[in-house]
């Protein structure tokens, strides 16, 4: 049986979960159907293929041994049965409504923590698959890789293998220790300095902030999802005209949509500048890395109170440049890095408190999930839309995830259903904000 210890951040995700705040991420993919039975065929394919994907057989087991007390390990489940994870549902005319109800339910912790829900469309010309992966099992990149393992094979360009340094023996480690002591000492001091910087930045981020009641909520345990599709060419038109990066434009769209949404529902946007956490992957591409999450983040204040759409974009652009200049290892957004310095038992005992403290760290999550440019299929059925879905932290009402797939940008929105019963209104505000930016840039 293969196994490996959970990385500290994975352990944090595993322990901060509660029934009302499950820590799984998701993706809702919509496929074109060739027949009314396409959904059932897709469910059979997913179950058959899942058995051959090693990562989908991994469960998480708590450890109480002296050297790993309070930790957990990721190990192969000897009783793995794909039929416990792949479910075929009754036809529906609203994929997002069904996905919202399914996102409410925590994954079963005694089994490999993932599920695939197949949702046939009542129209007979489409079906959807909702993938759910616990954040302790996979980050966005690894979840994509696991999901790709059960989709139709695609021809990928071959990459030259990178040389991997062979592991050194214990004797060589001992002999080399004296020469490494100064470096280890400097690293330790750097870690202390980094922790102080992060703490000070987090404290500063709360100063003078007007709370946004619409983005906070008492936990209800309910979920609602919605999706928005944009043309990437429209985003590039705004970027070329106003400056910044594609990501800057997509974040500014969220700020403008929040402004429009707050004003329409009567909450008011004047003076509102919620803190948005922008996760940053620290995983190096094409290198051997641990399976665990390698995340940091940037923290910016969304200029919701700014009435000028180009002014909002410029504020986002300036904030992102400042974050990138500082790097992902410092600043209030890098709190996730502190997980590496907490012992396993600390994660075990403090996990629920960390989850509750998320509202002190940020107000809304805005994350980008990379997708391949190649067309994906399941059973020959083309994937036409894909909406990434982020976990919702305790006390927070809305999370936004963004992916670009085949020339279109997909916003996946997850909200507490009781706190945000009008999530569709926010989705419409996203589309309207893009139209506003285009009109301003073209005018």
């Amino acid at each position: 049986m293969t196994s490996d210890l959970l990385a500290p951040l994975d352990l944090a995700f595993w322990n901060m979960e509660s029934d009302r705040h499950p820590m799984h991420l998701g993706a809702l993919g919509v496929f074109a159907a060739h027949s009314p039975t396409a959904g059932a065929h897709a469910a059979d394919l997913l179950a058959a293929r899942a058995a051959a994907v090693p990562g989908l057989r991994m469960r998480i087991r708590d450890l109480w041994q002296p050297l790993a007390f309070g930790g957990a390990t990721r190990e192969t489940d000897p009783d793995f049965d794909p039929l416990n994870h792949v479910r075929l549902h009754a036809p529906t005319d609203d994929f997002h409504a069904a996905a919202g109800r399914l996102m409410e339910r925590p994954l079963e912790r005694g089994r490999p923590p993932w599920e695939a829900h197949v949702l046939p469309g009542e129209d007979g010309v489409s079906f959807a698959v909702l993938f759910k992966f616990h954040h302790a099992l996979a980050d966005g990149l690894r979840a994509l890789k696991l999901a790709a393992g059960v989709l139709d094979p695609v021809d990928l360009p071959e990459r030259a293998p990178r040389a991997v340094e062979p592991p050194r023996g214990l004797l060589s480690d001992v002999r080399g220790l004296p020469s490494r002591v100064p470096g280890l000492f400097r690293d330790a001091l750097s870690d202390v300095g980094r922790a102080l910087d992060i703490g000070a930045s987090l404290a500063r981020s709360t100063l003078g902030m007007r709370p946004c009641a619409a983005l906070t909520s008492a936990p209800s345990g309910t979920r609602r999802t919605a999706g928005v599709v944009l043309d990437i060419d429209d985003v590039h038109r705004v970027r070329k005209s106003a400056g910044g990066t594609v990501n800057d434009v997509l974040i500014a769209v969220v700020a403008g949509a929040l402004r429009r949404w707050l004003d329409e529902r009567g909450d008011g946007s004047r003076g509102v500048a919620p803190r948005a956490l922008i996760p940053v992957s620290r995983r190096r591409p094409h290198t051997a890395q641990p399976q665990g999450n390698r995340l940091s983040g940037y923290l910016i204040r969304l200029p919701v109170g700014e009435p000028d759409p180009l002014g909002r974009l410029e504020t986002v652009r300036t904030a992102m440049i400042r974050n990138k200049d500082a790097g992902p290892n410092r600043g209030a957004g890098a709190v996730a890095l502190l997980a590496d310095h907490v012992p396993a038992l600390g994660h075990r005992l403090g996990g629920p408190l960390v989850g509750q403290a998320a509202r002190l760290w940020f107000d809304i999550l805005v994350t980008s999930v990379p997708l391949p440019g190649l067309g994906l299929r399941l059973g020959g059925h083309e994937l036409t839309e894909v909406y990434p879905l982020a976990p919702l932290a305790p006390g927070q009402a809305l999370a936004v995830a963004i992916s670009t797939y085949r020339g279109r940008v997909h916003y996946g929105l997850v909200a507490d259903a009781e706190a945000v019963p009008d999530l569709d209104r926010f989705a419409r505000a996203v589309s309207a904000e893009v139209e506003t930016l285009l009109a301003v840039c073209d005018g």
Side-chain angles (χ1 to χ4, degrees), residues 31-48 83 86-91 116-121 124 126-129 378-379 381:
F31 296 81
H34 298 161
S35 71
T37 61
H41 177 55
D44 291 340
L45 276 178
L46 291 172
L83 296 180
V86 179
R87 286 90 185 260
L88 176 64
H89 295 263
H117 296 270
V118 181
L119 308 167
S126 63
F127 68 91
V129 179
L378 176 57
H381 304 283

Side-chain angles (χ1 to χ4, degrees), residues 213-227:
L215 297 180
T216 60
S217 68
S220 72
T222 59
R223 292 293 180 271
R224 187 184 301 273
T225 75

Side-chain angles (χ1 to χ4, degrees), residues 144-157:
L144 173 62
K145 182 177 180 180
L146 291 173
V150 292
L151 298 178
D152 293 355
V154 294
D155 294 327
L156 297 175

Side-chain angles (χ1 to χ4, degrees), residues 14 57-60 77 80-81 83-85 87 107-115:
W14 186 244
R57 305 176 68 95
M58 304 299 281
R59 67 181 181 184
I60 295 175
D77 182 359
F80 174 71
D81 184 349
L83 296 180
N84 291 328
H85 301 266
R87 286 90 185 260
L107 294 164
E108 190 166 334
R109 291 169 72 93
R111 295 173 177 165
W114 69 274
E115 292 173 353

Side-chain angles (χ1 to χ4, degrees), residues 35 48 60 77 100 114 116 119 130 139 186 234 328 369 431 443:
S35 71
I60 295 175
D77 182 359
W114 69 274
L119 308 167
L130 173 67
D139 58 10
R186 285 194 301 271
D234 290 342
V369 181
S431 298

